């Protein structure tokens, strides 16, 4: 736990190269599973759904994100490189005006943030954003 | 466990009927993810707020399921329509069974 910043960066850089080859496939499939669970296996197309995330996040502990999902009933947000891909699920009520929300999330490393929206007609939409993380937010 | 939990909510005091208003909420909570380890290498157990609900006069505005990937001091911003005067009711549910609540009145003219 007592890693200096210098060491951490060195370890991070080398392990990242390995990780991105080795485990990203396994982690990505975890995220795919989570998406399939949300959509019930249905295909998610592109649409009005918008996911706004920073291109580069210096601190993975608090990354601001925003979703805009006109016509959506609920939106789930996933991070495909986190130990647990699920981030949050927003269910919009009758009095929700714009079907949009923003929050702050944790990202353990550089990865894709994915939003999947369930629309009022039962179809699904998906949006992705790649976020480069300088310092991971999992406290490992 | 959850000490010093303090919900903070920003709701305008007045609005016109049918207006769209923006609500900001923040609750101080450490959101222990269950991934971190203490000095002895033992995993610190997960302790987070797992659900947040905002209602207006009994009608739902937003209902969020939170996972450990939500940052410390969970923050949410969203929009609501206010058809008449009334009260917003915000509820946070903690893993340990605690429920934190706060209410905000709004006058609609």
């Amino acid at each position: 736990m007592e890693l200096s910043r210098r060491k951490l960066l060195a370890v991070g850089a080398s392990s990242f190269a390995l990780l991105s080859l080795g485990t990203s496939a396994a982690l990505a499939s975890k995220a795919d599973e989570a998406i399939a669970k949300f959509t019930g296996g249905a295909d998610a197309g592109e649409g009005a759904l918008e996911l706004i995330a920073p291109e580069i996040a210096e601190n993975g502990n608090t990354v601001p994100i925003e979703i805009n999902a006109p016509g959506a009933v609920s939106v789930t947000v996933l991070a495909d490189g986190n130990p647990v891909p699920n981030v949050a699920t927003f269910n919009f009520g009758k009095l929700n005006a714009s079907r949009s929300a923003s929050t702050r999330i944790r990202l353990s490393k550089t990865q894709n943030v994915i939003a999947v929206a369930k629309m009022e007609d039962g179809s699904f939409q998906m949006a992705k954003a790649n976020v480069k993380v300088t310092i991971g937010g999992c406290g490992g | 466990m959850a000490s010093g939990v303090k919900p903070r909510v920003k709701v305008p005091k007045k609005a016109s009927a049918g207006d769209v208003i923006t609500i900001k909420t923040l609750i101080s909570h450490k959101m222990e993810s269950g991934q971190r380890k203490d000095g002895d290498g033992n995993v610190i157990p997960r302790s987070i707020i797992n659900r947040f609900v905002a209602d207006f006069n009994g009608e739902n505005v937003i209902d969020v399921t939170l996972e450990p990937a939500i940052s410390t001091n969970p923050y949410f911003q969203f929009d609501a329509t206010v058809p008449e005067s009334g009260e917003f009711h915000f509820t946070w549910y903690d893993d340990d069974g605690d429920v934190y609540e706060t209410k905000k009145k709004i006058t609609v003219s």
Side-chain angles (χ1 to χ4, degrees), chain A residues 1-13:
Chain A
M1 251 353 74
E2 296 301 310
L3 281 176
S4 72
R5 184 181 154 81
R6 190 172 298 254
K7 264 193 208 155
L8 194 67
L9 284 174
V11 170

Side-chain angles (χ1 to χ4, degrees), chain B residues 3-68:
Chain B
S3 56
V5 174
K6 190 182 168 210
R8 263 167 279 192
V9 174
K10 211 171 192 179
V11 178
K13 287 200 174 64
K14 282 180 196 162
S16 310
D19 260 8
V20 172
I21 58 161
T22 300
I23 297 170
K24 293 176 181 175
T25 72
L26 186 122
I27 187 163
S28 49
H29 192 284
K30 61 180 160 43
M31 296 290 281
E32 191 58 65
S33 67
Q35 299 285 340
R36 297 199 311 145
K37 290 176 182 160
D38 64 14
D40 304 325
N42 302 316
V43 172
I44 305 169
R46 171 184 141 153
S47 168
I48 67 166
I49 289 173
N50 55 43
R51 189 170 170 224
F52 165 65
V53 181
D55 288 328
F56 180 72
N57 288 354
E59 290 270 18
N60 183 248
V61 179
I62 198 164
D63 183 340
V64 188
T65 310
L66 287 74
E67 305 288 345

Side-chain angles (χ1 to χ4, degrees), chain A residues 61 89 91 93 95 98 103 106, chain B residues 31 63 65 69 71 75 79 81:
Chain A
N61 268 314
T89 305
N91 297 300
L95 289 179
S98 59
T103 185
R106 287 176 180 146
Chain B
M31 296 290 281
D63 183 340
T65 310
S71 297
Y75 163 85
D79 295 335
T81 319

Side-chain angles (χ1 to χ4, degrees), chain A residues 83-95:
Chain A
V84 180
N86 300 65
V87 174
T89 305
F90 300 88
N91 297 300
F92 298 115
K94 216 175 122 190
L95 289 179

Side-chain angles (χ1 to χ4, degrees), chain A residues 21-97:
Chain A
L21 289 173
T23 59
S24 70
L27 286 169
S29 71
K30 248 196 200 169
D32 286 344
E33 264 173 42
I35 294 171
K37 211 173 153 194
F38 183 74
T39 61
D43 279 338
E46 283 190 13
L49 174 67
E50 220 186 337
L51 171 68
I52 302 163
E55 214 168 286
I56 297 173
E58 288 200 357
N59 182 357
N61 268 314
T62 167
V63 182
I65 61 156
E66 187 182 339
I67 49 164
N68 282 314
V73 185
S74 65
V75 175
T76 191
V77 178
L78 304 144
D80 68 3
N82 272 4
V84 180
N86 300 65
V87 174
T89 305
F90 300 88
N91 297 300
F92 298 115
K94 216 175 122 190
L95 289 179
N96 198 290

